[in-house]
Amino acid sequence: MENKGYKVSLINNRRYLGNKYKLLPFITSVVKKECKDIISIADIFAGTGAVSSAFTDKILITNDLMYSNYICNFAWFGSETYNQQVIIDYIISYNSFTNIADNYMTENFADTYFSYFDCAKIGFIREDIENNYKKGNINNRERAILITSLLYAIDKIAKTCGHYDAYRKNVVFDKSLELLVPIAKTQNNSENKCYNKDANDLVKEITADLMYIDPPYNSRQYCDAYHLLENVARWEKPKVFGIARKMDRTKLKSKYCTKNATKAFEELIDNIKAKYILLSYNNMAQKGNERSNAKISDDDIMKILSKKGNVKVFSENYKAFTTGKSCISENEERLFLCTIFK
């Protein structure tokens, strides 16, 4: 889509592991049929916000452990209003910028995932967003929308091998950075809240009619796959290391990718205050390679949820993300709906 010198983007215009955008008809149909009197929905492992985007007529609570996802969720769903023309003006200016110079991005990432020129542009834009925010030229939501535009643009041109675990060597950098204007509502529900917390801590603080849970399924840590986007979003300019140029991600590791996943899940469910819990979890079990195998068994899921309420299970076939030479068939995304005991 083009309009007067700029292009626009929608929430689903980004690649992301486990993205549920294609499963929204399945998820929304279950909620509509099975869940009554839903006013508020908490999406506590929100990722890029795909599921939340289907429920903008409700009070939304979004949360993600990664700041890069939180900032995107705040851009799309935050309660603060913003001036769309301000966003358009900044993005047109950024896209026309050519006066490059060395910065944090060129020093650490030039000719890896991006060309030197695009690194220079990424570094300049991210620094400029922060400077204008500190000067009061843009508000919190405008800052978030501009960062979101930059993250989406980065992801479009990155020369990666399976997300940001590695970059492709000896490639031609044939795509240039181009920011698009995110089409976010200028005025969302004033009661919407966006969090950047550990979900197990957050559920002790919030209540919602429906608590949607979509935790990591396997050992693949999202902070490893998306470290570069997290780095740019936070803009703390940490030291990076290794061939993949990763920063220290110790504080971003999820318990749901470890052998402690079942214990973490049980603690999470115990502390939820809601009418309904809707858990999204696929049936990888032992079908994929070791890193793809589900960390929480179906037996444990049913046992833990059944202590909280009555459970129904719904399923839909879909194509799973795999790496290497794994052969996965009959893969299903399941929804476990728990109607909590009164």
Side-chain angles (χ1 to χ4, degrees), residues 64-133:
D64 201 89
L65 184 61
M66 290 182 63
Y67 184 81
S68 51
N69 288 336
Y70 156 77
I71 207 70
C72 291
N73 287 322
F74 187 71
W76 295 113
F77 311 119
S79 59
E80 188 175 17
T81 59
Y82 78 96
N83 187 326
Q84 191 174 70
Q85 190 58 51
V86 167
I87 300 299
I88 291 170
D89 290 345
Y90 271 99
I91 287 177
I92 290 175
S93 173
Y94 289 153
N95 284 336
S96 64
F97 182 80
T98 57
N99 186 22
I100 64 172
D102 283 337
N103 55 47
Y104 174 78
M105 291 299 295
T106 60
E107 292 166 2
N108 291 286
F109 299 102
D111 298 324
T112 58
Y113 303 97
F114 321 100
S115 68
Y116 173 87
F117 178 82
D118 282 319
C119 279
K121 197 167 183 177
I122 292 166
F124 166 78
I125 292 171
R126 186 63 188 89
E127 188 73 14
D128 192 70
I129 293 170
E130 213 60 26
N131 288 339
N132 277 287
Y133 173 67

Side-chain angles (χ1 to χ4, degrees), residues 208-227:
D209 295 323
L210 173 63
M211 198 79 66
Y212 176 72
I213 305 173
D214 183 21
Y217 301 152
N218 52 47
S219 64
R220 292 188 177 89
Q221 291 279 357
Y222 281 77
C223 60
D224 293 343
Y226 300 104
H227 62 93

Side-chain angles (χ1 to χ4, degrees), residues 213-215 265 277-281 301 305 334-337:
I213 305 173
D214 183 21
F265 179 66
I277 297 170
L278 188 64
L279 169 69
S280 184
Y281 211 75
I301 288 173
L305 288 178
R334 279 91 46 75
L335 292 175
F336 295 80
L337 176 64

Side-chain angles (χ1 to χ4, degrees), residues 16 28 83 119 149 173 262 267 272 280 296:
Y16 198 72
T28 54
N83 187 326
C119 279
S149 177
F173 294 104
T262 302
E267 291 174 353
I272 283 178
S280 184
I296 308 174

Side-chain angles (χ1 to χ4, degrees), residues 27-38:
I27 295 169
T28 54
S29 66
V30 170
V31 172
K32 184 177 181 180
K33 182 179 179 181
E34 302 287 338
C35 303
K36 308 303 179 185
D37 302 320
I38 299 298

Side-chain angles (χ1 to χ4, degrees), residues 183-232:
I183 300 302
K185 289 185 179 180
T186 55
Q187 193 163 5
N188 290 315
N189 193 307
S190 62
E191 296 184 61
N192 285 4
K193 302 287 184 184
C194 301
Y195 294 94
N196 176 213
K197 291 190 173 186
D198 184 305
N200 281 50
D201 294 331
L202 180 65
V203 294
K204 298 173 185 177
E205 306 171 14
I206 64 171
T207 60
D209 295 323
L210 173 63
M211 198 79 66
Y212 176 72
I213 305 173
D214 183 21
Y217 301 152
N218 52 47
S219 64
R220 292 188 177 89
Q221 291 279 357
Y222 281 77
C223 60
D224 293 343
Y226 300 104
H227 62 93
L228 193 147
L229 299 181
E230 185 74 3
N231 192 344
V232 172

